[in-house]
Amino acid sequence: MAGTIPRITAPNAAPPDSAARAARRGVRKSRRSASSSPIHRKDWRVAWLLIAPAMVGFLIFAVYPLVRGVYLSFTTFHVLSPAQWTGLANYRELIHDSIFWNSVRVTIYFVVLSVGIGIFFSLITAVIMHRLTKSTVIRGMVLLPFLISGVVAGLVWSWMLQSQLGIVNIWLQDLTGHNFLFLGSSGWAIPTVALINVWKSMGYNAVLLFAGLQMIPPDVYEAARLDGAGEVRIFRRITVPLLRPVLAMVVILTVIGSFQVFDIVQVVTPNGGTADASNVLPLYIYTKAFSEFDFGYASTMSIALFVMLLAITFLQMRMTRASESDLA
């Protein structure tokens, strides 16, 4: 037809679609050849050999106890008798167990105090270390309580808080003329144990938050000061939002650790304290398992604690947006 421009193609040129398919086939072929090469197979064998000890330990000490615990939660199991399948009997007993629900309330009370007070003082300590001092000696001293065993910390604080001869009560008696039953009172037991736990874990949390503060660019603070922002506004509008991923991680770890507290509570207030005032859930599980030897019901409570921790951790990660950062 007149006016039609003929298409000129090279005699040996392939259509564009054919060229793209050929390129993809070449990439797949190169990947198959790389994966089937002796060097690549040797690298995979070395990798599996290196991670095998960790995988074996994980399967033996984590996966197997979890699966075994789930199974035992549906049984009646004592040490000298085989496990007998009872279905949901343990879970029905758990719902109507008043001691269990009291332990849950005590544990939540302990967690709220430990997390709230601990994160506040840890954040203040981290900011002070970041803004006012560069000394590694001071940072080491802040971390020192975390390195002390929980049993040792509990024993020392129980001696210091003893109502008659404790050094803390001697000072308070000189100041106020009264003695305080920190560990023997049902109202003071959990707050006292929570403060001891805060003292022990605050240094570790402060170091984590200090590492997060170091990732914030100094230019951000300089720009805020040039705009006339004060220290309090800088802390609220810049430091806390930019520190959110690290802060969320610290909060989640602190919540999980507080829900699993056992050693300090058992040493400071044995057997749950006065009127079960400090009978936290891990202590109640321990009593059922190793004092009454009811491992089936103890496994049921352990599974309940595990489910609670999963739900709380998931909600915390969603609410704090732990995977997002404002540094972009």
PDB file of all heavy atoms in Angstrom, residues 289-318:
ATOM      1  N   ALA A 289       5.187 -28.528  90.497  1.00  0.00           N
ATOM      2  CA  ALA A 289       6.002 -29.544  89.835  1.00  0.00           C
ATOM      3  C   ALA A 289       6.960 -30.233  90.802  1.00  0.00           C
ATOM      4  O   ALA A 289       7.071 -31.464  90.786  1.00  0.00           O
ATOM      5  CB  ALA A 289       6.779 -28.909  88.681  1.00  0.00           C
ATOM      6  N   PHE A 290       7.649 -29.480  91.651  1.00  0.00           N
ATOM      7  CA  PHE A 290       8.745 -30.049  92.429  1.00  0.00           C
ATOM      8  C   PHE A 290       8.453 -30.142  93.917  1.00  0.00           C
ATOM      9  O   PHE A 290       9.298 -30.647  94.672  1.00  0.00           O
ATOM     10  CB  PHE A 290      10.013 -29.224  92.210  1.00  0.00           C
ATOM     11  CG  PHE A 290      10.483 -29.227  90.790  1.00  0.00           C
ATOM     12  CD1 PHE A 290      10.233 -28.150  89.955  1.00  0.00           C
ATOM     13  CD2 PHE A 290      11.141 -30.315  90.264  1.00  0.00           C
ATOM     14  CE1 PHE A 290      10.651 -28.149  88.639  1.00  0.00           C
ATOM     15  CE2 PHE A 290      11.565 -30.337  88.943  1.00  0.00           C
ATOM     16  CZ  PHE A 290      11.314 -29.246  88.127  1.00  0.00           C
ATOM     17  N   SER A 291       7.293 -29.659  94.361  1.00  0.00           N
ATOM     18  CA  SER A 291       6.882 -29.890  95.749  1.00  0.00           C
ATOM     19  C   SER A 291       5.725 -30.878  95.813  1.00  0.00           C
ATOM     20  O   SER A 291       5.706 -31.774  96.650  1.00  0.00           O
ATOM     21  CB  SER A 291       6.474 -28.568  96.411  1.00  0.00           C
ATOM     22  OG  SER A 291       7.583 -27.700  96.519  1.00  0.00           O
ATOM     23  N   GLU A 292       4.755 -30.726  94.912  1.00  0.00           N
ATOM     24  CA  GLU A 292       3.623 -31.648  94.866  1.00  0.00           C
ATOM     25  C   GLU A 292       3.788 -32.711  93.772  1.00  0.00           C
ATOM     26  O   GLU A 292       2.974 -33.630  93.697  1.00  0.00           O
ATOM     27  CB  GLU A 292       2.335 -30.863  94.632  1.00  0.00           C
ATOM     28  CG  GLU A 292       2.071 -29.799  95.685  1.00  0.00           C
ATOM     29  CD  GLU A 292       0.821 -28.994  95.410  1.00  0.00           C
ATOM     30  OE1 GLU A 292       0.024 -29.414  94.534  1.00  0.00           O
ATOM     31  OE2 GLU A 292       0.638 -27.942  96.057  1.00  0.00           O
ATOM     32  N   PHE A 293       4.790 -32.569  92.930  1.00  0.00           N
ATOM     33  CA  PHE A 293       5.108 -33.530  91.864  1.00  0.00           C
ATOM     34  C   PHE A 293       3.931 -33.771  90.923  1.00  0.00           C
ATOM     35  O   PHE A 293       3.750 -34.871  90.401  1.00  0.00           O
ATOM     36  CB  PHE A 293       5.601 -34.852  92.453  1.00  0.00           C
ATOM     37  CG  PHE A 293       6.838 -34.717  93.285  1.00  0.00           C
ATOM     38  CD1 PHE A 293       6.760 -34.733  94.673  1.00  0.00           C
ATOM     39  CD2 PHE A 293       8.067 -34.547  92.690  1.00  0.00           C
ATOM     40  CE1 PHE A 293       7.893 -34.593  95.437  1.00  0.00           C
ATOM     41  CE2 PHE A 293       9.215 -34.400  93.448  1.00  0.00           C
ATOM     42  CZ  PHE A 293       9.129 -34.421  94.828  1.00  0.00           C
ATOM     43  N   ASP A 294       3.142 -32.740  90.696  1.00  0.00           N
ATOM     44  CA  ASP A 294       2.034 -32.802  89.739  1.00  0.00           C
ATOM     45  C   ASP A 294       2.513 -32.169  88.438  1.00  0.00           C
ATOM     46  O   ASP A 294       2.186 -31.029  88.108  1.00  0.00           O
ATOM     47  CB  ASP A 294       0.811 -32.071  90.299  1.00  0.00           C
ATOM     48  CG  ASP A 294      -0.440 -32.328  89.468  1.00  0.00           C
ATOM     49  OD1 ASP A 294      -0.331 -32.994  88.426  1.00  0.00           O
ATOM     50  OD2 ASP A 294      -1.525 -31.859  89.870  1.00  0.00           O
ATOM     51  N   PHE A 295       3.282 -32.926  87.674  1.00  0.00           N
ATOM     52  CA  PHE A 295       3.905 -32.383  86.476  1.00  0.00           C
ATOM     53  C   PHE A 295       2.890 -32.128  85.363  1.00  0.00           C
ATOM     54  O   PHE A 295       3.116 -31.261  84.518  1.00  0.00           O
ATOM     55  CB  PHE A 295       5.000 -33.327  85.977  1.00  0.00           C
ATOM     56  CG  PHE A 295       6.207 -33.359  86.860  1.00  0.00           C
ATOM     57  CD1 PHE A 295       6.368 -34.380  87.791  1.00  0.00           C
ATOM     58  CD2 PHE A 295       7.180 -32.378  86.787  1.00  0.00           C
ATOM     59  CE1 PHE A 295       7.483 -34.408  88.618  1.00  0.00           C
ATOM     60  CE2 PHE A 295       8.285 -32.398  87.609  1.00  0.00           C
ATOM     61  CZ  PHE A 295       8.434 -33.425  88.532  1.00  0.00           C
ATOM     62  N   GLY A 296       1.797 -32.865  85.333  1.00  0.00           N
ATOM     63  CA  GLY A 296       0.790 -32.625  84.311  1.00  0.00           C
ATOM     64  C   GLY A 296       0.147 -31.260  84.458  1.00  0.00           C
ATOM     65  O   GLY A 296       0.049 -30.487  83.493  1.00  0.00           O
ATOM     66  N   TYR A 297      -0.281 -30.933  85.676  1.00  0.00           N
ATOM     67  CA  TYR A 297      -0.911 -29.628  85.902  1.00  0.00           C
ATOM     68  C   TYR A 297       0.103 -28.502  85.799  1.00  0.00           C
ATOM     69  O   TYR A 297      -0.216 -27.409  85.301  1.00  0.00           O
ATOM     70  CB  TYR A 297      -1.576 -29.616  87.276  1.00  0.00           C
ATOM     71  CG  TYR A 297      -2.439 -28.410  87.517  1.00  0.00           C
ATOM     72  CD1 TYR A 297      -3.536 -28.148  86.703  1.00  0.00           C
ATOM     73  CD2 TYR A 297      -2.163 -27.528  88.546  1.00  0.00           C
ATOM     74  CE1 TYR A 297      -4.338 -27.045  86.917  1.00  0.00           C
ATOM     75  CE2 TYR A 297      -2.953 -26.415  88.774  1.00  0.00           C
ATOM     76  CZ  TYR A 297      -4.042 -26.183  87.952  1.00  0.00           C
ATOM     77  OH  TYR A 297      -4.826 -25.068  88.159  1.00  0.00           O
ATOM     78  N   ALA A 298       1.336 -28.750  86.244  1.00  0.00           N
ATOM     79  CA  ALA A 298       2.393 -27.741  86.093  1.00  0.00           C
ATOM     80  C   ALA A 298       2.674 -27.466  84.620  1.00  0.00           C
ATOM     81  O   ALA A 298       2.905 -26.310  84.224  1.00  0.00           O
ATOM     82  CB  ALA A 298       3.666 -28.196  86.805  1.00  0.00           C
ATOM     83  N   SER A 299       2.641 -28.495  83.779  1.00  0.00           N
ATOM     84  CA  SER A 299       2.827 -28.294  82.342  1.00  0.00           C
ATOM     85  C   SER A 299       1.678 -27.480  81.753  1.00  0.00           C
ATOM     86  O   SER A 299       1.885 -26.647  80.862  1.00  0.00           O
ATOM     87  CB  SER A 299       2.928 -29.644  81.634  1.00  0.00           C
ATOM     88  OG  SER A 299       4.045 -30.377  82.100  1.00  0.00           O
ATOM     89  N   THR A 300       0.468 -27.694  82.257  1.00  0.00           N
ATOM     90  CA  THR A 300      -0.678 -26.917  81.781  1.00  0.00           C
ATOM     91  C   THR A 300      -0.491 -25.441  82.083  1.00  0.00           C
ATOM     92  O   THR A 300      -0.727 -24.576  81.229  1.00  0.00           O
ATOM     93  CB  THR A 300      -1.966 -27.432  82.439  1.00  0.00           C
ATOM     94  OG1 THR A 300      -2.099 -28.831  82.174  1.00  0.00           O
ATOM     95  CG2 THR A 300      -3.175 -26.694  81.897  1.00  0.00           C
ATOM     96  N   MET A 301      -0.047 -25.127  83.293  1.00  0.00           N
ATOM     97  CA  MET A 301       0.193 -23.727  83.644  1.00  0.00           C
ATOM     98  C   MET A 301       1.356 -23.154  82.837  1.00  0.00           C
ATOM     99  O   MET A 301       1.335 -21.969  82.462  1.00  0.00           O
ATOM    100  CB  MET A 301       0.462 -23.596  85.137  1.00  0.00           C
ATOM    101  CG  MET A 301      -0.752 -23.867  85.996  1.00  0.00           C
ATOM    102  SD  MET A 301      -0.488 -23.424  87.739  1.00  0.00           S
ATOM    103  CE  MET A 301       0.671 -24.707  88.211  1.00  0.00           C
ATOM    104  N   SER A 302       2.356 -23.964  82.548  1.00  0.00           N
ATOM    105  CA  SER A 302       3.475 -23.488  81.723  1.00  0.00           C
ATOM    106  C   SER A 302       3.020 -23.142  80.313  1.00  0.00           C
ATOM    107  O   SER A 302       3.443 -22.132  79.741  1.00  0.00           O
ATOM    108  CB  SER A 302       4.580 -24.552  81.682  1.00  0.00           C
ATOM    109  OG  SER A 302       5.070 -24.838  82.969  1.00  0.00           O
ATOM    110  N   ILE A 303       2.161 -23.973  79.733  1.00  0.00           N
ATOM    111  CA  ILE A 303       1.621 -23.681  78.411  1.00  0.00           C
ATOM    112  C   ILE A 303       0.782 -22.412  78.444  1.00  0.00           C
ATOM    113  O   ILE A 303       0.821 -21.581  77.523  1.00  0.00           O
ATOM    114  CB  ILE A 303       0.801 -24.874  77.887  1.00  0.00           C
ATOM    115  CG1 ILE A 303       1.704 -26.109  77.728  1.00  0.00           C
ATOM    116  CG2 ILE A 303       0.153 -24.536  76.560  1.00  0.00           C
ATOM    117  CD1 ILE A 303       2.883 -25.917  76.801  1.00  0.00           C
ATOM    118  N   ALA A 304       0.007 -22.223  79.518  1.00  0.00           N
ATOM    119  CA  ALA A 304      -0.787 -20.992  79.649  1.00  0.00           C
ATOM    120  C   ALA A 304       0.119 -19.768  79.722  1.00  0.00           C
ATOM    121  O   ALA A 304      -0.163 -18.740  79.089  1.00  0.00           O
ATOM    122  CB  ALA A 304      -1.676 -21.085  80.889  1.00  0.00           C
ATOM    123  N   LEU A 305       1.212 -19.864  80.469  1.00  0.00           N
ATOM    124  CA  LEU A 305       2.170 -18.752  80.536  1.00  0.00           C
ATOM    125  C   LEU A 305       2.809 -18.500  79.176  1.00  0.00           C
ATOM    126  O   LEU A 305       3.003 -17.339  78.774  1.00  0.00           O
ATOM    127  CB  LEU A 305       3.243 -19.067  81.581  1.00  0.00           C
ATOM    128  CG  LEU A 305       4.366 -18.034  81.750  1.00  0.00           C
ATOM    129  CD1 LEU A 305       3.810 -16.684  82.163  1.00  0.00           C
ATOM    130  CD2 LEU A 305       5.390 -18.537  82.769  1.00  0.00           C
ATOM    131  N   PHE A 306       3.127 -19.563  78.451  1.00  0.00           N
ATOM    132  CA  PHE A 306       3.719 -19.432  77.123  1.00  0.00           C
ATOM    133  C   PHE A 306       2.764 -18.725  76.160  1.00  0.00           C
ATOM    134  O   PHE A 306       3.171 -17.826  75.409  1.00  0.00           O
ATOM    135  CB  PHE A 306       4.080 -20.824  76.598  1.00  0.00           C
ATOM    136  CG  PHE A 306       4.614 -20.837  75.196  1.00  0.00           C
ATOM    137  CD1 PHE A 306       5.869 -20.341  74.909  1.00  0.00           C
ATOM    138  CD2 PHE A 306       3.844 -21.355  74.158  1.00  0.00           C
ATOM    139  CE1 PHE A 306       6.364 -20.358  73.604  1.00  0.00           C
ATOM    140  CE2 PHE A 306       4.333 -21.381  72.863  1.00  0.00           C
ATOM    141  CZ  PHE A 306       5.591 -20.876  72.586  1.00  0.00           C
ATOM    142  N   VAL A 307       1.493 -19.081  76.199  1.00  0.00           N
ATOM    143  CA  VAL A 307       0.507 -18.444  75.325  1.00  0.00           C
ATOM    144  C   VAL A 307       0.336 -16.971  75.696  1.00  0.00           C
ATOM    145  O   VAL A 307       0.235 -16.097  74.822  1.00  0.00           O
ATOM    146  CB  VAL A 307      -0.829 -19.202  75.399  1.00  0.00           C
ATOM    147  CG1 VAL A 307      -1.926 -18.449  74.647  1.00  0.00           C
ATOM    148  CG2 VAL A 307      -0.678 -20.606  74.824  1.00  0.00           C
ATOM    149  N   MET A 308       0.324 -16.669  76.991  1.00  0.00           N
ATOM    150  CA  MET A 308       0.208 -15.269  77.411  1.00  0.00           C
ATOM    151  C   MET A 308       1.389 -14.440  76.918  1.00  0.00           C
ATOM    152  O   MET A 308       1.219 -13.308  76.453  1.00  0.00           O
ATOM    153  CB  MET A 308       0.097 -15.197  78.937  1.00  0.00           C
ATOM    154  CG  MET A 308      -1.263 -15.574  79.481  1.00  0.00           C
ATOM    155  SD  MET A 308      -1.434 -15.198  81.249  1.00  0.00           S
ATOM    156  CE  MET A 308      -0.297 -16.373  81.959  1.00  0.00           C
ATOM    157  N   LEU A 309       2.586 -14.998  77.018  1.00  0.00           N
ATOM    158  CA  LEU A 309       3.770 -14.275  76.557  1.00  0.00           C
ATOM    159  C   LEU A 309       3.741 -14.058  75.051  1.00  0.00           C
ATOM    160  O   LEU A 309       4.127 -12.992  74.560  1.00  0.00           O
ATOM    161  CB  LEU A 309       5.039 -15.034  76.957  1.00  0.00           C
ATOM    162  CG  LEU A 309       5.410 -14.990  78.437  1.00  0.00           C
ATOM    163  CD1 LEU A 309       6.644 -15.838  78.707  1.00  0.00           C
ATOM    164  CD2 LEU A 309       5.665 -13.564  78.881  1.00  0.00           C
ATOM    165  N   LEU A 310       3.282 -15.057  74.297  1.00  0.00           N
ATOM    166  CA  LEU A 310       3.160 -14.888  72.853  1.00  0.00           C
ATOM    167  C   LEU A 310       2.186 -13.764  72.511  1.00  0.00           C
ATOM    168  O   LEU A 310       2.475 -12.904  71.664  1.00  0.00           O
ATOM    169  CB  LEU A 310       2.696 -16.199  72.206  1.00  0.00           C
ATOM    170  CG  LEU A 310       3.742 -17.274  71.933  1.00  0.00           C
ATOM    171  CD1 LEU A 310       3.088 -18.469  71.263  1.00  0.00           C
ATOM    172  CD2 LEU A 310       4.877 -16.747  71.063  1.00  0.00           C
ATOM    173  N   ALA A 311       1.039 -13.768  73.161  1.00  0.00           N
ATOM    174  CA  ALA A 311       0.035 -12.742  72.867  1.00  0.00           C
ATOM    175  C   ALA A 311       0.526 -11.354  73.258  1.00  0.00           C
ATOM    176  O   ALA A 311       0.367 -10.386  72.498  1.00  0.00           O
ATOM    177  CB  ALA A 311      -1.261 -13.074  73.611  1.00  0.00           C
ATOM    178  N   ILE A 312       1.154 -11.234  74.424  1.00  0.00           N
ATOM    179  CA  ILE A 312       1.636  -9.930  74.887  1.00  0.00           C
ATOM    180  C   ILE A 312       2.748  -9.424  73.976  1.00  0.00           C
ATOM    181  O   ILE A 312       2.791  -8.236  73.615  1.00  0.00           O
ATOM    182  CB  ILE A 312       2.102 -10.036  76.344  1.00  0.00           C
ATOM    183  CG1 ILE A 312       0.905 -10.275  77.259  1.00  0.00           C
ATOM    184  CG2 ILE A 312       2.850  -8.774  76.767  1.00  0.00           C
ATOM    185  CD1 ILE A 312       1.279 -10.581  78.684  1.00  0.00           C
ATOM    186  N   THR A 313       3.649 -10.301  73.580  1.00  0.00           N
ATOM    187  CA  THR A 313       4.743  -9.894  72.692  1.00  0.00           C
ATOM    188  C   THR A 313       4.217  -9.440  71.336  1.00  0.00           C
ATOM    189  O   THR A 313       4.662  -8.427  70.782  1.00  0.00           O
ATOM    190  CB  THR A 313       5.733 -11.055  72.510  1.00  0.00           C
ATOM    191  OG1 THR A 313       6.217 -11.464  73.793  1.00  0.00           O
ATOM    192  CG2 THR A 313       6.902 -10.632  71.648  1.00  0.00           C
ATOM    193  N   PHE A 314       3.252 -10.171  70.796  1.00  0.00           N
ATOM    194  CA  PHE A 314       2.668  -9.779  69.510  1.00  0.00           C
ATOM    195  C   PHE A 314       1.990  -8.422  69.598  1.00  0.00           C
ATOM    196  O   PHE A 314       2.166  -7.559  68.724  1.00  0.00           O
ATOM    197  CB  PHE A 314       1.668 -10.854  69.055  1.00  0.00           C
ATOM    198  CG  PHE A 314       0.950 -10.516  67.782  1.00  0.00           C
ATOM    199  CD1 PHE A 314       1.587 -10.627  66.556  1.00  0.00           C
ATOM    200  CD2 PHE A 314      -0.368 -10.078  67.816  1.00  0.00           C
ATOM    201  CE1 PHE A 314       0.921 -10.318  65.378  1.00  0.00           C
ATOM    202  CE2 PHE A 314      -1.041  -9.760  66.654  1.00  0.00           C
ATOM    203  CZ  PHE A 314      -0.391  -9.886  65.434  1.00  0.00           C
ATOM    204  N   LEU A 315       1.212  -8.196  70.660  1.00  0.00           N
ATOM    205  CA  LEU A 315       0.539  -6.909  70.823  1.00  0.00           C
ATOM    206  C   LEU A 315       1.551  -5.776  71.000  1.00  0.00           C
ATOM    207  O   LEU A 315       1.368  -4.681  70.462  1.00  0.00           O
ATOM    208  CB  LEU A 315      -0.406  -6.968  72.028  1.00  0.00           C
ATOM    209  CG  LEU A 315      -1.669  -7.820  71.858  1.00  0.00           C
ATOM    210  CD1 LEU A 315      -2.461  -7.870  73.151  1.00  0.00           C
ATOM    211  CD2 LEU A 315      -2.526  -7.293  70.717  1.00  0.00           C
ATOM    212  N   GLN A 316       2.606  -6.034  71.746  1.00  0.00           N
ATOM    213  CA  GLN A 316       3.617  -4.995  71.934  1.00  0.00           C
ATOM    214  C   GLN A 316       4.300  -4.636  70.618  1.00  0.00           C
ATOM    215  O   GLN A 316       4.534  -3.454  70.341  1.00  0.00           O
ATOM    216  CB  GLN A 316       4.664  -5.465  72.951  1.00  0.00           C
ATOM    217  CG  GLN A 316       4.198  -5.398  74.388  1.00  0.00           C
ATOM    218  CD  GLN A 316       5.294  -5.823  75.330  1.00  0.00           C
ATOM    219  OE1 GLN A 316       5.927  -6.857  75.155  1.00  0.00           O
ATOM    220  NE2 GLN A 316       5.533  -5.037  76.356  1.00  0.00           N
ATOM    221  N   MET A 317       4.628  -5.630  69.820  1.00  0.00           N
ATOM    222  CA  MET A 317       5.288  -5.347  68.550  1.00  0.00           C
ATOM    223  C   MET A 317       4.380  -4.587  67.601  1.00  0.00           C
ATOM    224  O   MET A 317       4.831  -3.717  66.845  1.00  0.00           O
ATOM    225  CB  MET A 317       5.763  -6.656  67.909  1.00  0.00           C
ATOM    226  CG  MET A 317       6.850  -7.362  68.705  1.00  0.00           C
ATOM    227  SD  MET A 317       7.514  -8.800  67.850  1.00  0.00           S
ATOM    228  CE  MET A 317       8.351  -8.019  66.472  1.00  0.00           C
ATOM    229  N   ARG A 318       3.072  -4.882  67.635  1.00  0.00           N
ATOM    230  CA  ARG A 318       2.142  -4.154  66.773  1.00  0.00           C
ATOM    231  C   ARG A 318       1.915  -2.731  67.278  1.00  0.00           C
ATOM    232  O   ARG A 318       1.855  -1.789  66.477  1.00  0.00           O
ATOM    233  CB  ARG A 318       0.805  -4.900  66.718  1.00  0.00           C
ATOM    234  CG  ARG A 318       0.866  -6.231  65.999  1.00  0.00           C
ATOM    235  CD  ARG A 318       1.181  -6.041  64.515  1.00  0.00           C
ATOM    236  NE  ARG A 318       0.176  -5.227  63.857  1.00  0.00           N
ATOM    237  CZ  ARG A 318      -0.911  -5.706  63.280  1.00  0.00           C
ATOM    238  NH1 ARG A 318      -1.131  -7.013  63.289  1.00  0.00           N
ATOM    239  NH2 ARG A 318      -1.767  -4.901  62.673  1.00  0.00           N
TER     240      ARG A 318
END
